[in-house]
Amino acid sequence: MDYKSTLNLPKTDFPMRGNLPKNEPKRYGRWFEERVYERMKANREGAEFFTLHDGPPYANGKIHIGHALNKVLKDIIVKDNYFQGRAVRFTPGWDCHGLPIEQQVEKKLGKAKKEQLPKTKIRQLCREHAAKFVEVQKEGFKALGVIADWEKPYITMDYRFEANIYRTLCDVAQKGLLVERNKPVYWSWAERTALAEAEVEYEEKEDYSIYVAFELGDKAKEKLGHPEAAAIVIWTTTPWTLPANVGISLNPDEMYVLTRDGYIVAEKLFDTLAESGVVEGPIEMRIPARDLEGMIAINPLNGRPSRIVLGEHVLMENGTGAVHTAPGHGEDDYRVGLVNDLDVVMPVDEEGKYDETVVRLGLLPEPEKFVGMHIFEANEEIVKLLGKALLKVEKFTHSYPHCWRSHTPLIFRATKQWFISVDGTPEGERKSLREIALEEIDRTKFYPEWGRNRLTSMVEGRPDWCISRQRDWGVPIAFFRDKKTGKVILDEKVLNFVAMIFEMKGCDAWYEMSVEELLYPGSGYDPKDLEKVMDILDVWFDSGSTWNAVLKSRNYDAGKFPADLYLEGSDQHRGWFQSSLLLGCAVEHKAPYKAILTHGFTVDEKGEKMSKSKGNVVAPDEVAKKYGSEILRLWVAMSEYKSDLKISDAILKQVAENYRKIRNTFRFLLANVDDLERLVSTSEMGELDRWIVAKAAEVFAQMRKSFDEYDFSKGFHQLNNFLTNELSGIYLDITKDRLYCDETDGPTRRSSQTAMAMVARALLPLVAPVLTYTADELLEYAPAVIKGEARDVFDLLYTPLPAVEVTMDEAYMTAAREAFFEIVDRLKKEGVIKQTLELGLVTESEKLGVLDPKDAEDWFVVSEITHQSGSETLGEFEVEGDTFVIVRASGHKCPRCWRFAAPEEDALCERCAKVLNV
């Protein structure tokens, strides 16, 4: 007789293979057509809020794997909160102003043609470029299964958004933190604009290292009692800044020495300088720095006076202890110059070339030949001009600041710029902006925790924030200046009127409309007396103020202020996290976020940065076409994202294997509960079924804890261990006999089916944030005992498994099973047996006795467990003093269930005979 038809074989239409690349786009399309984001909002109306505020990527080019990592991680976190029952908001955004977009437009036009176009035309082309890539990137993110408010994203070039960026600027001004001053800033001569610290990258650069003697003036020599020869020695790596020298800084607490050859250097550095041949000993005189203060040295390049001043910034780590000081070319120089009233000399134009100042002030010999010469080209000429004053010259390679876009070396250049004063005190506060920001960092949660120290050190040491740029594409610093007094008009009605115009016409109006049209009619000012400030805002100001334009305004349904979470790459401690913090603290006196999460960067499997030239670029759309976006999403979740994330085809294949394991585990569960209509109560369940439910509850609670700490990698590692070891490795294996061979409606079978349904039902909302597509597909095939009232995945809600009492000693039973299978593996290799059902166990173990006899047999997948047997002994093992003897089963093979429990050859075992009623 063919007994196959009498078995309860697994039954489900849920496909073994997902065919993800083909099927995902259809399902995603349906989600967006059905506006599931709006449904998610409606489903959680009145629930506790979770707000993730999206850091805006540049609307410039297709999405890359770093974009995919970032947006998928955000999507996972938002959905994880949703499936826990919270009301979530995820309003995606795009940064649309700034240099990267303007550069692309310039690239298309060519620099010469761009310079001939009016500003309004350039801005129009930038707007069109950004609008195009907002759509390109939006479709790229949607293809990854990211659910967000795609119908109403925030776009920083929208008119109302531009108005709110400008309003934030006005708020900063009203708080008394906006200052305009002539100060050295990072300057990109290639892009002809100032840069903020966040726009600076460090690359290797070859430079001069020169030691130059500045002869003391006659009065200074007399005062020292050394009228013949005495020169103070400076060290610099930027010969081109020497024409602008106005001072020499010494450390106020250090001792300086005059050498036999007439040179003055710091005592602590004398030995090093003597060894390298810069000066010769012995020391003739020791001089406290304070005795040298105010003396005049002579610049050997131009004969101009250079005053000796004191500065705490002078270190004894290298150089000479005497620092060449040009306030127009350095932050420390500028600060010490302010204290000592040194002139700010700036002979370099916006293109990094010497201008007429070198002629007017006589900063170089034959200065006319230097006008129009690039400063880096002038280095060699200046070194030659130093003559005998040049004590030593060599070249070296070091890390040097470069422009983040053009990758050209930067310079420090004093220009009139707008700054947010970090040491200023916002109106209504007693503490400085820096102090408020540092206190808010203390209140913020950081994932990982090391981010706190990183952001703290950056805020502690940062200079004032230069927010002005001399470019075309950005939100203008739309203030009026009185032509006669130079004073900027910060009248509230005037500012509000400009903001209102921006809201209606966009900030292009600043360039298209006259002063008269832009000026509030009742302001009391004469338009003829006013001129426009034509600088634009640093793009970091745009993104740094998004909390105001998105969360605080009523223009978006984007959640609550402050946001629960900001999430970006680890480079944003110096970028978005910091700019948002400073503006939040300036205007609201608080951080715009409660927590910060940072992730690393994507690299190839060798840990190398991706580049087209290396051929190691992994594009998200290619991954989706080959493997499906579910695999990319699982890669994000399984990666340790706190450090750099490796990705390659080989790594994705491993992830795909993990996906198949999860998918097929779910498929097995579905297939075996197909005919289950109602769950058995846990009190009626068998011990093994209670054990797997209790084990699942324990693992799912651990996963939940990991997910709550945003440690998805740890959570999925815990899940994989459970699926491999307890669920698939033990439980699904040991229950096959009862599922397939027991009576269809028998209590043992229904108990195991209930356990499987409970595990599947609890696990679905746990994995749904990551594998949303798969969970949704699964629900289409799931029976009502798993699906409940849910129409699709977006109706799921995570409910922890109930507490279940288990009497079985899991550690003991697991140890016994492992010891048993170790011997079984040997028996199979030796050809003694083909399957464990041929075996029986003989033991007096009391711990095994708590199990139902059939449960005990199933745990080892053997046909009998007895206290004694006359059968052949095949092996023996011991657990906690209990002896287990492996023997051949005494019964015959049942043709239906294959257990060796039949009374005679070809006869059914007692259980199977009862099921078939024979």
Side-chain angles (χ1 to χ4, degrees):
M1 179 179 176
D2 179 14
Y3 290 106
K4 188 176 180 183
S5 61
T6 71
L7 300 176
N8 303 304
L9 294 176
K11 182 185 172 187
T12 182
D13 291 326
F14 180 61
M16 187 179 291
R17 295 186 179 278
N19 201 357
L20 301 174
K22 181 183 175 185
N23 292 328
E24 281 174 344
K26 299 173 193 170
R27 190 172 296 269
Y28 291 163
R30 193 162 73 242
W31 289 352
F32 298 124
E33 277 173 32
E34 293 172 0
R35 305 179 75 217
V36 294
Y37 180 76
E38 293 302 318
R39 243 183 71 207
M40 288 167 72
K41 282 161 61 176
N43 284 354
R44 301 290 186 264
E45 197 170 339
E48 175 194 354
F49 251 94
F50 176 82
T51 301
L52 183 143
H53 181 46
D54 188 30
Y58 272 118
N60 187 25
K62 291 170 69 176
I63 67 167
H64 52 66
I65 200 69
H67 285 129
L69 158 67
N70 179 269
K71 219 58 139 199
V72 166
L73 188 53
K74 288 173 181 173
D75 183 62
I76 290 170
I77 289 171
V78 169
K79 285 176 181 167
D80 186 52
N81 278 275
Y82 173 76
F83 289 120
Q84 287 186 77
R86 296 188 184 99
V88 295
R89 295 294 184 271
F90 186 11
T91 300
W94 275 273
D95 225 339
C96 299
H97 298 120
L99 191 55
I101 290 163
E102 193 174 335
Q103 268 191 329
Q104 288 302 313
V105 169
E106 187 174 289
K107 206 170 169 182
K108 282 182 198 169
L109 292 172
K111 201 164 189 175
K113 188 176 179 184
K114 178 177 177 272
E115 286 176 357
Q116 292 170 4
L117 293 175
K119 196 180 283 274
T120 50
K121 181 62 179 174
I122 294 166
R123 288 175 65 86
Q124 179 196 328
L125 293 171
C126 289
R127 189 176 287 277
E128 289 169 0
H129 178 92
K132 172 188 171 184
F133 283 105
V134 164
E135 291 307 312
V136 168
Q137 292 187 6
K138 185 193 292 184
E139 292 309 309
F141 291 135
K142 288 167 76 173
L144 299 176
V146 176
I147 305 294
D149 196 353
W150 298 117
E151 292 180 16
K152 199 175 181 185
Y154 77 81
I155 294 167
T156 59
M157 65 181 181
D158 284 350
Y159 293 171
R160 288 198 294 181
F161 207 102
E162 289 179 332
N164 278 326
I165 293 169
Y166 174 67
R167 286 188 180 107
T168 306
L169 173 68
C170 295
D171 288 341
V172 173
Q174 301 290 5
K175 292 281 184 178
L177 295 172
L178 192 64
V179 292
E180 187 183 24
R181 64 168 85 107
N182 199 40
K183 185 184 174 192
V185 293
Y186 283 116
W187 185 270
S188 172
W189 47 266
E191 303 297 340
R192 291 182 290 176
T193 186
L195 296 180
E197 282 195 320
E199 298 169 305
V200 177
E201 292 180 350
Y202 284 81
E203 298 176 21
E204 293 296 298
K205 180 179 184 292
E206 186 182 66
D207 267 321
Y208 279 96
S209 167
I210 62 172
Y211 293 84
V212 182
F214 278 55
E215 191 74 22
L216 290 180
D218 292 341
K219 285 185 180 179
K221 289 178 186 175
E222 284 176 25
K223 193 173 178 183
L224 284 179
H226 210 281
E228 309 84 33
I232 195 155
V233 182
I234 65 95
W235 171 69
T236 184
T237 60
T238 53
W240 62 269
T241 63
L242 286 172
N245 173 280
V246 292
I248 297 170
S249 298
L250 308 181
N251 187 303
D253 302 318
E254 294 294 334
M255 187 66 72
Y256 288 75
V257 294
L258 176 66
T259 63
R260 184 178 64 186
D261 52 352
Y263 296 122
I264 297 170
V265 295
E267 185 175 28
K268 283 181 180 172
L269 293 162
F270 168 74
D271 289 341
T272 304
L273 292 166
E275 283 171 21
S276 60
V278 177
V279 298
E280 290 180 12
I283 293 170
E284 290 198 351
M285 185 186 298
R286 296 173 78 247
I287 315 160
R290 295 183 190 279
D291 289 358
L292 293 166
E293 184 182 13
M295 290 184 179
I296 299 297
I298 307 302
N299 187 332
L301 264 183
N302 51 32
R304 286 166 59 87
S306 182
R307 181 150 48 96
I308 297 174
V309 296
L310 303 179
E312 301 286 347
H313 67 289
V314 180
L315 304 176
M316 296 293 121
E317 292 169 3
N318 50 32
T320 66
V323 175
H324 146 57
T325 301
H329 289 307
E331 180 73 24
D332 289 331
D333 303 41
Y334 175 76
R335 284 177 179 165
V336 80
L338 275 181
V339 173
N340 294 281
D341 199 26
L342 298 178
D343 289 339
V344 177
V345 177
M346 178 39 58
V348 180
D349 68 14
E350 63 179 12
E351 293 182 339
K353 298 173 180 177
Y354 285 121
D355 62 18
E356 292 291 338
T357 307
V358 292
V359 177
R360 182 164 48 83
L361 297 181
L363 300 182
L364 284 157
E366 299 181 56
E368 292 83 0
K369 75 175 189 180
F370 286 92
V371 176
M373 182 185 291
H374 197 281
I375 51 169
F376 292 152
E377 292 172 12
N379 273 331
E380 192 172 346
E381 198 67 30
I382 288 169
V383 168
K384 287 178 187 174
L385 288 171
L386 288 168
K388 290 180 180 178
L390 182 66
L391 304 184
K392 186 175 182 181
V393 58
E394 55 191 6
K395 285 190 174 182
F396 74 114
T397 301
H398 64 142
S399 182
Y400 186 87
H402 282 65
C403 175
W404 68 315
R405 296 307 299 179
S406 62
H407 297 284
T408 49
L410 298 175
I411 60 175
F412 258 107
R413 178 172 178 261
T415 57
K416 207 163 193 179
Q417 301 288 346
W418 291 93
F419 297 86
I420 292 177
S421 171
V422 292
D423 291 312
T425 303
E427 193 175 305
E429 271 287 336
R430 293 180 181 177
K431 295 170 181 168
S432 71
L433 176 55
R434 193 191 303 273
E435 289 168 334
I436 297 167
L438 290 170
E439 283 183 2
E440 287 300 299
I441 291 172
D442 285 341
R443 292 191 183 102
T444 302
K445 288 182 181 176
F446 284 82
Y447 304 92
E449 177 59 31
W450 57 255
R452 183 186 310 281
N453 290 337
R454 190 168 185 191
L455 187 54
T456 297
S457 63
M458 287 178 172
V459 171
E460 280 176 341
R462 72 156 298 132
D464 290 343
W465 178 8
C466 176
I467 61 166
S468 48
R469 297 290 179 274
Q470 292 66 50
R471 299 293 299 192
D472 297 318
W473 180 229
V475 175
I477 298 177
F479 297 143
F480 296 113
R481 191 191 301 278
D482 189 307
K483 292 178 187 175
K484 295 173 187 172
T485 64
K487 187 181 174 186
V488 168
I489 309 301
L490 294 177
D491 183 294
E492 195 171 340
K493 289 180 179 176
V494 172
L495 302 179
N496 285 343
F497 190 72
V498 172
M500 187 182 71
I501 291 172
F502 284 4
E503 193 153 314
M504 293 186 294
K505 299 174 180 282
C507 63
D508 292 343
W510 189 248
Y511 306 97
E512 295 165 351
M513 296 170 68
S514 65
V515 172
E516 189 173 4
E517 291 169 306
L518 290 161
L519 184 63
Y520 175 61
S523 68
Y525 294 99
D526 186 343
K528 293 173 187 170
D529 296 336
L530 305 178
E531 62 184 4
K532 300 174 189 174
V533 172
M534 294 304 283
D535 293 337
I536 63 168
L537 281 169
D538 171 15
V539 74
W540 289 105
F541 190 101
D542 285 25
S543 57
S545 63
T546 54
W547 56 266
N548 201 9
V550 179
L551 301 180
K552 292 280 288 180
S553 78
R554 295 178 183 176
N555 296 339
Y556 303 89
D557 180 10
K560 295 188 176 182
F561 175 86
D564 291 288
L565 186 67
Y566 271 38
L567 185 169
E568 295 303 325
S570 54
D571 58 335
Q572 294 308 314
H573 291 108
R574 64 201 289 262
W576 191 54
F577 298 147
Q578 195 174 152
S579 63
S580 301
L581 175 69
L582 291 176
L583 291 178
C585 292
V587 177
E588 296 291 331
H589 309 170
K590 63 168 24 173
Y593 39 68
K594 296 176 186 174
I596 281 177
L597 186 151
T598 50
H599 60 74
F601 300 102
T602 51
V603 293
D604 69 11
E605 61 188 336
K606 295 176 186 173
E608 293 181 4
K609 192 176 177 182
M610 292 186 189
S611 69
K612 287 179 183 175
S613 59
K614 288 181 184 175
N616 62 351
V617 173
V618 178
D621 56 342
E622 292 302 316
V623 174
K625 282 176 192 169
K626 185 172 181 180
Y627 294 102
S629 65
E630 287 284 83
I631 306 305
L632 188 63
R633 294 175 66 86
L634 189 56
W635 166 76
V636 171
M638 294 184 71
S639 298
E640 180 47 79
Y641 62 79
K642 291 166 190 173
S643 54
D644 287 347
L645 293 86
K646 293 181 178 180
I647 186 169
S648 66
D649 200 55
I651 290 167
L652 288 167
K653 280 177 183 170
Q654 290 172 6
V655 175
E657 271 307 311
N658 268 303
Y659 172 78
R660 274 191 283 277
K661 184 194 296 180
I662 295 168
R663 184 181 180 93
N664 287 330
T665 301
F666 268 116
R667 186 173 185 273
F668 187 90
L669 294 172
L670 284 193
N672 282 290
V673 300
D674 183 64
D675 63 345
L676 182 66
E677 294 179 359
R678 118 188 136 75
L679 300 181
V680 173
S681 72
T682 53
S683 61
E684 296 173 30
M685 288 168 71
E687 183 67 11
L688 293 184
D689 304 321
R690 286 201 299 273
W691 165 73
I692 198 61
V693 171
K695 192 68 189 175
E698 177 192 330
V699 172
F700 296 173
Q702 290 169 353
M703 286 176 67
R704 184 65 270 142
K705 184 174 183 290
S706 299
F707 289 1
D708 288 342
E709 293 166 354
Y710 304 121
D711 198 341
F712 298 100
S713 171
K714 185 178 179 182
F716 268 87
H717 182 68
Q718 290 160 336
L719 175 62
N720 277 334
N721 279 344
F722 172 67
L723 296 184
T724 303
N725 299 320
E726 288 87 6
L727 189 62
S728 297
I730 299 177
Y731 186 74
L732 299 185
D733 184 41
I734 67 179
T735 54
K736 284 177 183 174
D737 177 73
R738 65 186 64 184
L739 290 168
Y740 302 170
C741 302
D742 273 12
E743 192 179 347
T744 302
D745 204 27
T748 313
R749 182 170 183 268
R750 291 303 189 205
S751 173
S752 293
Q753 285 183 306
T754 295
M756 290 182 179
M758 289 173 71
V759 170
R761 194 164 66 177
L763 184 55
L764 261 177
L766 264 182
V767 300
V770 178
L771 303 175
T772 320
Y773 168 90
T774 304
D776 195 40
E777 182 194 9
L778 227 147
L779 279 176
E780 286 184 8
Y781 300 94
V785 288
I786 291 176
K787 190 172 183 177
E789 300 294 320
R791 286 171 289 172
D792 56 27
V793 68
F794 302 104
D795 285 340
L796 290 181
L797 182 66
Y798 175 67
T799 307
L801 283 164
V804 179
E805 190 180 339
V806 180
T807 55
M808 179 181 96
D809 185 333
E810 181 188 347
Y812 175 90
M813 293 298 293
T814 303
R817 185 179 157 89
E818 286 173 357
F820 170 71
F821 275 98
E822 197 175 314
I823 296 171
V824 163
D825 286 344
R826 177 173 55 79
L827 294 174
K828 285 182 177 179
K829 280 178 188 173
E830 292 171 357
V832 177
I833 62 165
K834 291 182 179 178
Q835 55 178 327
T836 56
L837 287 174
E838 296 172 36
L839 303 174
L841 278 173
V842 180
T843 182
E844 296 286 345
S845 168
E846 290 182 8
K847 289 191 174 180
L848 200 62
V850 304
L851 291 179
D852 174 88
K854 180 64 167 58
D855 278 358
E857 290 168 5
D858 285 347
W859 180 260
F860 295 98
V861 199
V862 295
S863 291
E864 63 185 32
I865 295 180
T866 59
H867 295 311
Q868 57 184 12
S869 172
S871 298
E872 177 190 358
T873 299
L874 300 176
E876 190 175 308
F877 62 91
E878 194 175 289
V879 179
E880 293 183 16
D882 293 334
T883 301
F884 292 78
V885 178
I886 302 172
V887 297
R888 285 198 184 273
S890 58
H892 296 274
K893 184 176 182 180
C894 172
R896 182 171 179 267
C897 68
W898 298 1
R899 291 172 73 248
F900 282 71
E904 56 188 49
E905 195 79 30
D906 296 328
L908 294 172
C909 67
E910 184 181 348
R911 186 267 315 268
C912 289
K914 187 179 176 184
V915 169
L916 296 183
N917 199 21
V918 293

